[in-house]
Amino acid sequence: MKKHCAIVGINWGDEGKGRMVDLLTEQYDVVIRYQGGGNAGHTVINEYGKFALHLLPSGIFRPGVMNILGNGVALDLENLWNEMEQVRAQGVKITPDSLRISDRASLLLPWHRQLDGLEEARLKDRAYGSTKQGIAPFYSDKYQKKTLLAGELFDREALRKHAARLLEWKNLTLTGVYGAEPCRLEELLDWLETYGEKLKPFICNTTKLLTEAEKEGKNFLFEAQLGALRDLDYGIIPYTTSSNAIAAYAPVGSGLPSVKIDQVIGVVKAYSTCVGEGPFVCEMFGEEAERLRKAGAEYGAKTGRPRRVGPIDLVATRYGVQMQAATGLALTKLDVLSDLAEIPVCVRYELDGQETDDFPFPTALDRCKPVMTTVPGWQEDISGARRWEDLPKAARDYVEMVEAAVGCHIAYVSVGPEREAYISR
Ligand code: GDP
């Protein structure tokens, strides 16, 4: 295993990144979340139980691992604290020895969540399917330099003044644009005080910490949220998230812009899923979809919403591999396909009467139709397979077919949700 590694999603998110990070953290000293906020969930199953992590890095379960929330994340103090309490209640220790928060992380404030809900309500049936965690309003404000930094929590007087200026400005939008109630300064300050005091021991200059850790020869694991197709710049705009989910952003969002990432593990599901609105070319419907959804337990970790499902989409996956600059792949949930006599595969798109291998411009996606083929299934339980040879030939052929089509080595195949249920090749 090389020195610094990023684990990223190749598709629409929910590929099973959490379990791969949980597995691979063993080999790393520091695990860093570099973008996004509490709007997605990583599911991890280990000796402590089952967890849906939203903001906490998935290395939090490994004793001796330092977990970092970098400057690129949307830092919702309240949600983070509640998540820490939940995880602690299941027996996991979280102290400043295991978790640090960048003093340069911007704060997601209660009005960001409020605005997210107000805007989705205004859009009605044109809504983007936001998880209403305030992520889009938060990142808009961050880039306008109109929110607070975690490091500002240490100077109460200056914080009060800055918060008052922001509140005056934000209330113009809340009352003027949406006709909502204005925010009250005392409420905002109370919120900052309540959660700020709890989290202050974790906040520090993480750039300095990472610089020193690198000098000491420590290994870093960068953990992304969502997937390449949700990336703000390269995804299916506007149905993307509001931050960069690609590995190239990891140095910027982690706090160590000089870091060179040696290895990018892209996580791909053995079939496709997509939460929320937006084009999903290979989508399946009806009974066939319901069967796959049930077999894969495809319901959102954050929202419980049924995920849209489809066969593996080789066009989108190849594009995701390229955008992530993946050096190796983890193919997850292969076991979920075990019931199928024949497995559908989306091999190309048809756009305006022409077949294409290229992932099109976002607005052309609605005009694309999937070009399908089927490959033989294996119809036996593979969840106990731990070596490549344990897999039936049809399952090995499926893995090799995906590998050849997307042009990247599949280094891991997972066959169950448990930590050990995987094959390394
Ligand atoms: P993430 O956000 O990319 O970490 O993905 P999610 O947590 O949303 O989705 C992954 C889900 O699939 C979780 O419920 C995992 O426990 C489960 N899972 C991961 N790998 C496998 C696998 O190989 N087989 C099965 N059956 N479930 C898996």
Side-chain angles (χ1 to χ4, degrees):
M1 185 69 54
K2 289 189 200 154
K3 219 174 156 237
H4 301 313
C5 174
I7 298 194
V8 295
I10 293 295
N11 304 115
W12 296 266
D14 305 316
E15 298 93 346
K17 294 175 293 297
R19 68 90 41 96
M20 288 312 298
V21 178
D22 180 62
L23 173 70
L24 296 176
T25 42
E26 200 176 23
Q27 303 159 30
Y28 292 88
D29 307 302
V30 185
V31 178
I32 311 158
R33 277 280 312 266
Y34 60 88
Q35 48 83 224
N39 52 330
H42 286 178
T43 313
V44 176
I45 300 175
N46 58 28
E47 69 269 32
Y48 297 102
K50 182 171 179 181
F51 299 86
L53 296 181
H54 301 293
L55 250 179
L56 283 172
S58 304
I60 203 72
F61 306 105
R62 296 276 191 184
V65 168
M66 170 60 82
N67 293 273
I68 291 184
L69 291 172
N71 51 282
V73 304
L75 184 62
D76 181 334
L77 299 173
E78 181 178 353
N79 274 359
L80 174 61
W81 179 256
N82 290 339
E83 187 174 330
M84 285 164 70
E85 289 291 88
Q86 271 169 21
V87 170
R88 280 171 168 156
Q90 282 176 262
V92 181
K93 225 169 133 194
I94 305 179
T95 70
D97 286 335
S98 59
L99 177 70
R100 294 292 174 92
I101 302 167
S102 166
D103 57 1
R104 284 180 172 270
S106 298
L107 301 189
L108 187 148
L109 299 169
W111 59 49
H112 292 129
R113 265 183 269 149
Q114 191 188 349
L115 280 167
D116 210 345
L118 287 167
E119 178 58 9
E120 287 283 291
R122 188 189 73 80
L123 287 167
K124 294 202 184 80
D125 54 345
R126 288 172 296 134
Y128 295 118
S130 163
T131 54
K132 302 199 184 83
Q133 296 296 307
I135 303 298
F138 161 81
Y139 277 108
S140 313
D141 283 0
K142 170 175 170 167
Y143 286 98
Q144 291 192 77
K145 303 161 304 266
K146 290 229 195 260
T147 185
L148 302 166
L149 296 180
E152 292 184 64
L153 293 167
F154 292 92
D155 183 342
R156 200 169 274 159
E157 250 335 281
L159 178 73
R160 192 182 173 81
K161 283 190 191 140
H162 191 186
R165 286 202 304 278
L166 291 175
L167 178 120
E168 187 189 310
W169 170 75
K170 189 52 82 182
N171 277 341
L172 295 175
T173 309
L174 282 171
T175 60
V177 176
Y178 293 102
E181 288 293 307
C183 275
R184 299 206 350 259
L185 182 60
E186 288 317 312
E187 264 175 36
L188 176 63
L189 293 174
D190 270 1
W191 186 87
L192 288 166
E193 175 81 14
T194 305
Y195 296 104
E197 284 310 306
K198 294 181 198 301
L199 288 166
K200 261 157 70 175
F202 298 88
I203 298 170
C204 71
N205 179 343
T206 51
T207 297
K208 188 157 179 256
L209 190 145
L210 286 172
T211 306
E212 279 160 15
E214 192 170 44
K215 268 193 213 138
E216 288 164 17
K218 301 251 166 86
N219 295 327
F220 304 159
L221 187 67
F222 299 91
E223 176 181 10
Q225 179 217 37
L226 294 166
L229 302 172
R230 300 289 190 194
D231 182 86
L232 178 61
D233 284 272
Y234 297 97
I236 51 170
I237 298 163
Y239 300 97
T240 62
T241 193
S242 301
S243 64
N244 289 102
I246 53 167
Y249 186 72
V252 177
S254 67
L256 196 59
S258 58
V259 76
K260 186 177 169 304
I261 298 174
D262 305 288
Q263 196 182 25
V264 177
I265 305 270
V267 187
V268 181
K269 209 179 267 186
Y271 51 94
S272 299
T273 62
C274 169
V275 176
E277 305 303 316
F280 185 37
V281 175
C282 66
E283 184 163 13
M284 292 187 332
F285 299 94
E287 232 171 76
E288 197 187 12
E290 194 48 36
R291 228 178 303 131
L292 185 55
R293 186 175 299 120
K294 277 221 181 90
E298 296 297 350
Y299 302 89
K302 181 81 200 175
T303 57
R305 288 186 285 191
R307 292 177 180 150
R308 298 158 74 191
V309 298
I312 194 161
D313 178 337
L314 297 176
V315 181
T317 302
R318 192 183 310 110
Y319 175 75
V321 166
Q322 285 164 1
M323 294 306 105
Q324 293 289 17
T327 58
L329 298 177
L331 187 72
T332 60
K333 301 188 94 161
L334 190 64
D335 55 303
V336 172
L337 300 179
S338 295
D339 283 344
L340 300 174
E342 290 202 308
I343 302 175
V345 176
C346 169
V347 285
R348 273 184 302 281
Y349 290 173
E350 187 194 308
L351 173 61
D352 302 336
Q354 292 222 310
E355 289 197 8
T356 177
D357 289 322
D358 295 331
F359 194 71
F361 187 74
T363 53
L365 281 166
D366 277 336
R367 304 201 308 277
C368 288
K369 294 191 200 98
V371 177
M372 301 293 302
T373 188
T374 54
V375 296
W378 43 94
Q379 293 197 292
E380 62 179 275
D381 181 6
I382 58 168
S383 59
R386 296 293 176 268
R387 293 168 313 162
W388 180 240
E389 312 80 77
D390 297 341
L391 286 177
K393 180 165 183 313
R396 280 183 273 140
D397 288 348
Y398 185 78
V399 175
E400 284 172 350
M401 178 273 300
V402 174
E403 188 170 67
V406 304
C408 188
H409 175 60
I410 295 177
Y412 303 92
V413 177
S414 82
V415 290
E418 303 81 16
R419 189 183 270 173
E420 304 309 328
Y422 77 99
I423 293 160
S424 174
R425 3 178 358 242

